[in-house]
C-alpha cells in the first residue's frame, strides 16, 4: 500500500463517532496515569538495519500531544490530507497515554518517564528512532483553519 493510498483510506474512513470509554464501568473511577510508562536511560543507538522501512524516501514528522485534543476528527483529516499532498508520514508522540489518534490509523508512540526531563529524553529517543524531520504541537495543528 502506498503512502497516498493509506492516507486516502484514512480520509475516506473518517468519522466523528468515537469509541466509548468503558473503563469506569469496568474498573470504577480513578486517575488515569499516562505518564508512568517505562523509560530506559542511556539506551544504545539502534542499528538502522533493524528499522529499515520500504518508505525510507519519505519524511517523518512528529506531532506532540500533551493534552486532550478537542477535535480529533479535524486533526486526523488535516494530517491525512497533508500526508497525501506532501508525501510525509505523521507520527504522534503522546505524553498523555492513549491520545485517540490510533483509531484513525495513525502511528502513535507513547512518551513515558517519571518527570519532565525523562519525558523529554524519551521523546528525543523516539525522534531519533523515527528520524523525525520536525516536531510540532498537536494544539498548533488543531488551530489551523
Amino acid at each position: 500500500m502506498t503512502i497516498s493510498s493509506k492516507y486516502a483510506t484514512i480520509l475516506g474512513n473518517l468519522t466523528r463517532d468515537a469509541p466509548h470509554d468503558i473503563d469506569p464501568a469496568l474498573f470504577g473511577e480513578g486517575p488515569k496515569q499516562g505518564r508512568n510508562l517505562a523509560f530506559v536511560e542511556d539506551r544504545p543507538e539502534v542499528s538502522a538495519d533493524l528499522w529499515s522501512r520500504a518508505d525510507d524516501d519519505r519524511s517523518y514528522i512528529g506531532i506532540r500531544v500533551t493534552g486532550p485534543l478537542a477535535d480529533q476528527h479535524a486533526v486526523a483529516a488535516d494530517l491525512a490530507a497533508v500526508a497525501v499532498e506532501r508525501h510525509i508520514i505523521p507520527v504522534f508522540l503522546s505524553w498523555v497515554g492513549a491520545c485517540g489518534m490510533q483509531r484513525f490509523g495513525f502511528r502513535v508512540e507513547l512518551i513515558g518517564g517519571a518527570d519532565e526531563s525523562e519525558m523529554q529524553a524519551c521523546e528525543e529517543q523516539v525522534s531519533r528512532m523515527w528520524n523525525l524531520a520536525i516536531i510540532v504541537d498537536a494544539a498548533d495543528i488543531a488551530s489551523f483553519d
Side-chain angles (χ1 to χ4, degrees), residues 13-34:
N13 291 329
L14 282 179
T15 176
R16 291 197 180 275
D17 295 334
H20 297 285
D21 184 4
I22 62 171
D23 284 354
L26 296 175
F27 308 111
E29 293 292 335
K32 290 189 177 183
Q33 301 264 341

Side-chain angles (χ1 to χ4, degrees), residues 10 27 29 32 34 49 52 54 59 82 89 91 97 111 118 126 145:
I10 288 175
F27 308 111
E29 293 292 335
K32 290 189 177 183
D49 294 338
S52 62
S59 292
V82 168
I89 299 172
V91 178
I111 304 301
E118 282 189 7
V126 172
D145 286 330

Side-chain angles (χ1 to χ4, degrees), residues 9 19 34 42 53 75-76 94 99 101 117 129-130 135:
T9 299
D42 300 324
R53 308 187 237 336
V75 172
S94 181
C99 65
M101 298 309 291
S117 65
M129 183 188 77
W130 281 101
I135 298 175

Side-chain angles (χ1 to χ4, degrees), residues 69-116:
L69 296 173
D71 193 351
Q72 294 175 354
H73 179 271
V75 172
D78 288 346
L79 282 174
V82 168
V84 171
E85 180 183 339
R86 299 291 182 187
H87 304 286
I88 56 98
I89 299 172
V91 178
F92 283 86
L93 309 173
S94 181
W95 288 50
V96 295
C99 65
M101 298 309 291
Q102 22 321 33
R103 73 182 170 108
F104 298 111
F106 290 99
R107 177 65 187 193
V108 176
E109 295 287 350
L110 301 178
I111 304 301
D115 58 28
E116 183 89 12

